[in-house]
Amino acid sequence: LVRSLKNAPQYWLDTGCGTGSLIARAVSIFPTTHFLLADPSAEMLVQAKQQLHASGVQNVTFYEPTASQRLSAVLDHTPEVITAIQSHHYLNADGRQQATCACYHLLAKDGVYVTFENIQPDTEFGVEVALNRWMHYQRAQGRSEHVVQEHRQRYNHNYFPITVAQHLALLKTIGFRIAELLWYSQMQAGFYAIK
């Protein structure tokens, strides 16, 4: 997607970077880009540092544990790309709006924001079907019934999905001039938006 939209960005922020696996892949495609990694979890940042340093990645800056909503206080560059992969669905409605708004304001003009999140189907019936499919998949992978039930109970308790339409509306309301669905499968979807 980033290759299709623009030349190599000078700065790319990955917020909620987790273990750094996205940037580990992106760095080989964009060797001249400087990557900025942020995550609210100190443990995730330790893993990301270990993974990227073990791979010999030099063009990376790690920030102290920081949530997307608070990045303006620490970020010292203007990224042309911001990615938030599987991170903002852990926030409630206000938190998600604040995080997305913060990313919008941090982004360079004409920059691209990419987010992938767990999503909510449009109907309660759709939610039930999707959760049941997820449970069947986990059982087929050998997970215990206890773990399967635990995962099901996380929905709307540990993470707070919204529908595809709500995602697109949020991106447009915040001010992105373009907001598009990029990918959709089961209970996950990816979006991109241009400032």
Side-chain angles (χ1 to χ4, degrees):
L1 172 69
V2 173
R3 255 191 318 216
S4 300
L5 291 172
K6 56 194 338 70
N7 296 326
Q10 185 176 5
Y11 294 104
W12 175 329
L13 167 65
D14 189 25
T15 181
C17 68
T19 62
S21 56
L22 172 67
I23 300 310
R25 294 180 68 162
V27 76
S28 63
I29 300 167
F30 300 101
T32 62
T33 296
H34 192 90
F35 294 96
L36 314 168
L37 278 74
D39 197 285
S41 165
E43 182 182 318
M44 289 291 105
L45 288 166
V46 166
Q47 290 182 41
K49 286 177 187 175
Q50 290 171 345
Q51 176 175 223
L52 293 171
H53 289 156
S55 301
V57 176
Q58 301 288 320
N59 49 337
V60 62
T61 298
F62 292 93
Y63 292 94
E64 292 299 313
T66 308
S68 297
Q69 306 91 297
R70 296 177 189 84
L71 279 171
S72 62
V74 298
L75 204 68
D76 45 6
H77 300 287
T78 303
E80 294 101 333
V81 174
I82 297 178
T83 46
I85 310 302
Q86 294 294 104
S87 58
H88 291 166
H89 62 234
Y90 293 108
L91 304 171
N92 63 23
D94 287 341
R96 181 195 313 268
Q97 181 162 358
Q98 290 169 11
T100 307
C101 193
C103 289
Y104 174 82
H105 289 294
L106 290 168
L107 197 60
K109 184 180 184 304
D110 298 321
V112 61
Y113 171 67
V114 182
T115 184
F116 280 70
E117 296 189 19
N118 291 349
I119 58 99
Q120 176 180 312
D122 287 330
T123 64
E124 285 302 315
F125 183 82
V127 170
E128 251 338 273
V129 169
L131 289 174
N132 287 341
R133 289 185 73 195
W134 174 232
M135 291 171 65
H136 290 302
Y137 173 78
Q138 289 182 84
R139 288 183 189 115
Q141 299 308 305
R143 291 199 168 165
S144 71
E145 192 59 30
H146 173 74
V147 169
V148 170
Q149 292 302 325
E150 215 172 58
H151 268 255
R152 183 185 177 102
Q153 291 168 2
R154 294 179 69 222
Y155 183 86
N156 266 342
H157 294 285
N158 296 85
Y159 66 96
F160 305 94
I162 60 176
T163 66
V164 167
Q166 289 169 324
H167 274 287
L168 293 170
L170 173 63
L171 293 168
K172 291 173 186 171
T173 298
I174 284 174
F176 286 101
R177 61 184 173 87
I178 294 171
E180 294 284 350
L181 176 65
L182 175 64
W183 175 86
Y184 186 7
S185 179
Q186 308 301 325
M187 293 181 77
Q188 293 184 330
F191 306 86
Y192 72 90
I194 309 294
K195 183 172 179 179

